[in-house]
């Protein structure tokens, strides 16, 4: 007997449809979780959101009368670390309460009273947060509190060989990308996904984000599908890796940048105008990084302001030029970034990327789970 889980979310510009299957005969989840999305371009006030024109999703799925919980969280421990910036006390409390209400056992290693300058604590204290979280046998998932800046300062003092072998599932994005890259260089797989302050603090939690996070934590395979009108036809396989574009460009040429060949690189960013995005991608290309990949996949680039000086040089114009310059296919529409609704992606997992006639599919496997 199979139980099916379906989520449908309508957000004006973006619609998501998610389904997951569970197996009850052996007490285990089914092997795959399926997500599909349709993305488009929109604008909200002075904030620009880069997405592609919408195409109709032909698979309209009905909602069950009662939603199922993605996983039994009662015995799963989540450790909160703050390797970068700090948050207000109220945000920390809300985040902890949200995780507890979902059934997680929460172990908080961030002390608001230890704030130092623009960081959550001194460099040494932030290193110790990570060490203590990893040393706790009751912790399965280590989640970043927020991004900001500061994780780079910790890299020389962390034992990434030991962290890669710890068995912990590290989750976060933004500034946390540098930790994930250093971990990947040592063979450790982590997850580009939600953070406490970004995704577990709002009045209404992002159900899509949470459901996909929990599915990825428990399902050894995930299938993701979205629609972007102008994506080139592609059928490639390789290691999935990437994250925040600013952080990736920041690490280029440093000892912390992994040397990935034949991979599928995904990127996203926030507050970065199109010309800055182009500049950072050119940096990665000139550094010999992009040319080694089988494909480049763009997620969301949000909250940037166009000016009169741009004179029509918007994201679409940048994308046209970029595709003419690079030797690898460039795809868009990945539902990931500094947005409310995002997927969770295994950084270092195996991926197969298939795109045909505007429909893009991403098959993910080869990553650890909590079970």
């Amino acid at each position: 007997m199979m139980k099916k889980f379906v989520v449908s979310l309508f957000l004006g510009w973006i619609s998501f449809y998610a389904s997951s299957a569970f197996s009850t005969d052996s007490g285990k989840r089914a092997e795959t979780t399926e997500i599909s999305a349709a993305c488009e371009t929109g604008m909200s006030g002075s904030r620009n959101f880069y997405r592609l024109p919408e195409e109709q999703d032909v698979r309209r799925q009905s909602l069950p009368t009662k939603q199922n919980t993605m996983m039994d969280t009662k015995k799963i421990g989540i450790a909160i670390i703050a390797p970068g910036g700090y948050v207000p006390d109220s945000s920390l409390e809300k985040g902890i309460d949200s995780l507890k209400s979902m059934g997680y056992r929460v172990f908080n290693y961030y002390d608001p009273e230890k704030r130092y300058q623009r960081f959550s604590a001194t460099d040494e204290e932030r290193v110790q947060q990570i060490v203590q979280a990893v040393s706790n046998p009751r912790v399965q998932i280590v989640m970043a509190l927020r991004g900001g800046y500061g994780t780079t300062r910790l890299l020389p003092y962390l034992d990434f060989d030991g962290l890669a072998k710890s068995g912990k599932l590290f989750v976060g994005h933004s500034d946390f990308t540098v930790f994930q890259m250093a971990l990947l260089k040592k063979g450790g797989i982590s997850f580009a996904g939600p953070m406490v302050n970004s995704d577990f603090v709002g009045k209404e939690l992002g159900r899509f984000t949470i459901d996909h996070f929990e599915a990825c934590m428990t399902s050894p395979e995930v299938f993701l599908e979205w629609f972007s009108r102008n994506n080139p036809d592609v059928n490639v396989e390789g290691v999935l890796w990437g994250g925040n574009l600013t952080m990736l460009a920041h690490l280029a040429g440093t000892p912390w940048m992994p040397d990935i060949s034949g991979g599928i690189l995904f990127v996203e960013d926030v507050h970065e105008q199109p010309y800055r995005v182009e500049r950072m991608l050119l940096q990665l290309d000139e550094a010999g990084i992009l040319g080694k990949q089988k494909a480049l996949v763009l997620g969301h680039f949000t909250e940037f302001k166009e000016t009169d000086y741009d004179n029509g040089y918007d994201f679409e114009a940048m994308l046209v030029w970029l595709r003419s310059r690079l030797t690898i296919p460039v795809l868009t529409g990945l539902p990931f970034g500094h947005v409310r609704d995002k997927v969770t992606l295994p950084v270092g997992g195996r991926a197969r990327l298939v795109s045909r006639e505007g429909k893009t599919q991403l098959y993910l496997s080869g990553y650890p789970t909590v079970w």
Side-chain angles (χ1 to χ4, degrees):
M1 178 181 178
M2 301 293 289
K3 295 181 179 179
K4 293 186 177 180
F5 176 83
V6 182
V7 170
S8 182
L9 179 59
F10 300 92
L11 294 176
W13 300 315
I14 189 166
S15 301
F16 294 99
Y17 306 89
S19 65
S20 175
F22 302 83
S23 174
T24 57
D25 54 353
S26 62
K28 295 182 179 180
R29 304 289 189 260
E31 294 298 306
T32 21
T33 296
E34 179 179 341
I35 307 290
S36 65
C39 304
E40 62 175 320
T41 302
M43 182 177 291
S44 175
S46 62
R47 295 181 176 183
N48 287 2
F49 296 78
Y50 175 68
R51 303 184 176 98
L52 286 185
E54 180 181 13
E55 291 201 3
Q56 291 295 323
D57 186 348
V58 298
R59 301 188 310 159
R60 303 294 182 184
Q61 302 180 43
S62 60
L63 285 170
T65 56
K66 184 177 181 180
Q67 294 182 345
N68 295 301
T69 301
M70 291 297 292
M71 67 179 179
D72 181 5
T73 60
K74 292 181 180 179
K75 295 183 179 180
I76 296 177
I78 289 186
I80 299 174
I81 59 171
Y86 61 85
V87 300
D89 293 2
S90 58
S91 294
L92 174 64
E93 294 170 0
K94 290 178 182 177
I96 292 175
D97 288 344
S98 294
L99 289 170
K100 285 183 176 180
S101 70
M102 295 165 61
Y104 292 104
R105 300 166 66 183
V106 180
F107 302 88
N108 175 41
Y109 293 95
Y110 161 63
D111 184 351
E113 296 184 358
K114 292 187 176 182
R115 294 173 188 168
Y116 175 72
Q117 296 176 341
R118 63 175 293 118
F119 311 107
S120 72
T122 65
D123 293 354
E124 181 179 359
E125 288 169 335
R126 284 181 284 132
V127 166
Q128 286 304 309
Q129 290 181 31
I130 299 172
V131 171
Q132 291 170 13
V134 172
S135 300
N136 187 342
R138 294 181 292 174
V139 167
Q140 288 80 43
I141 300 170
V142 179
M143 181 177 289
L145 175 68
R146 60 155 297 168
Y149 170 71
T151 307
T152 305
R153 295 169 59 151
L154 311 184
L155 301 184
Y157 309 108
L158 291 168
D159 174 15
F160 283 99
D161 280 312
L163 292 172
K165 298 173 183 176
S166 68
K168 307 300 183 183
L169 307 186
F170 298 95
V171 184
H173 64 280
S174 194
D175 182 62
F176 198 60
T177 297
V178 297
F179 178 96
Q180 295 172 315
M181 292 301 99
L183 190 70
L184 180 58
K185 187 166 184 177
K186 296 298 184 179
I189 297 175
S190 60
F191 296 85
M195 295 188 290
V196 178
N197 187 60
S198 305
D199 302 289
F200 295 92
V201 171
K203 293 182 179 179
E204 294 184 6
L205 302 182
R207 194 69 252 174
F208 175 85
T209 297
I210 293 171
D211 290 341
H212 192 255
F213 159 68
E214 294 186 338
C216 201
M217 292 295 97
T218 59
S219 302
E221 295 181 355
V222 171
F223 167 74
L224 174 64
E225 181 179 278
W226 69 92
F227 297 82
S228 291
R229 185 171 299 146
N230 296 319
N231 276 351
D233 288 354
V234 171
N235 189 340
V236 296
E237 295 184 44
V239 174
L240 182 75
W241 70 292
N244 181 259
L245 178 57
T246 297
M247 295 296 101
L248 292 172
H250 164 57
L251 288 187
T254 71
W256 315 112
M257 190 67 160
D259 184 9
I260 305 295
S261 295
I264 297 171
L265 176 64
F266 70 93
V267 296
E268 60 80 30
D269 221 316
V270 62
H271 303 308
E272 297 293 348
Q273 291 172 266
Y275 80 89
R276 294 181 179 179
V277 173
E278 176 189 303
R279 183 169 62 194
M280 288 185 284
L281 287 172
L282 283 180
Q283 180 180 351
L284 295 181
D285 189 44
E286 295 293 347
I289 295 171
L290 294 189
K292 294 181 180 180
Q293 309 311 311
K294 292 184 178 178
L296 172 65
V297 186
L298 306 185
H300 293 310
F301 290 80
T302 55
E303 299 186 43
F304 59 88
K305 293 182 179 180
E306 294 178 3
T307 68
D308 292 339
Y309 195 83
D310 290 316
N311 194 29
Y313 182 72
D314 55 14
F315 214 104
E316 292 288 354
M318 184 275 292
L319 182 60
V320 169
W321 184 88
L322 187 69
R323 281 173 165 160
S324 71
R325 161 66 185 265
L326 299 181
T327 58
I328 61 174
V330 180
L331 292 84
T332 61
L334 177 68
F336 179 76
H338 285 70
V339 290
R340 179 175 182 265
D341 298 284
K342 63 177 71 69
V343 294
T344 297
L345 301 168
V347 179
R350 297 295 302 176
R352 180 185 177 195
L353 179 68
V354 179
S355 177
R356 183 173 175 80
E357 298 180 350
K359 181 169 72 173
T360 304
Q361 298 171 321
L362 187 61
Y363 302 84
L364 303 173
S365 62
Y367 55 86
T369 66
V370 293
W371 293 322

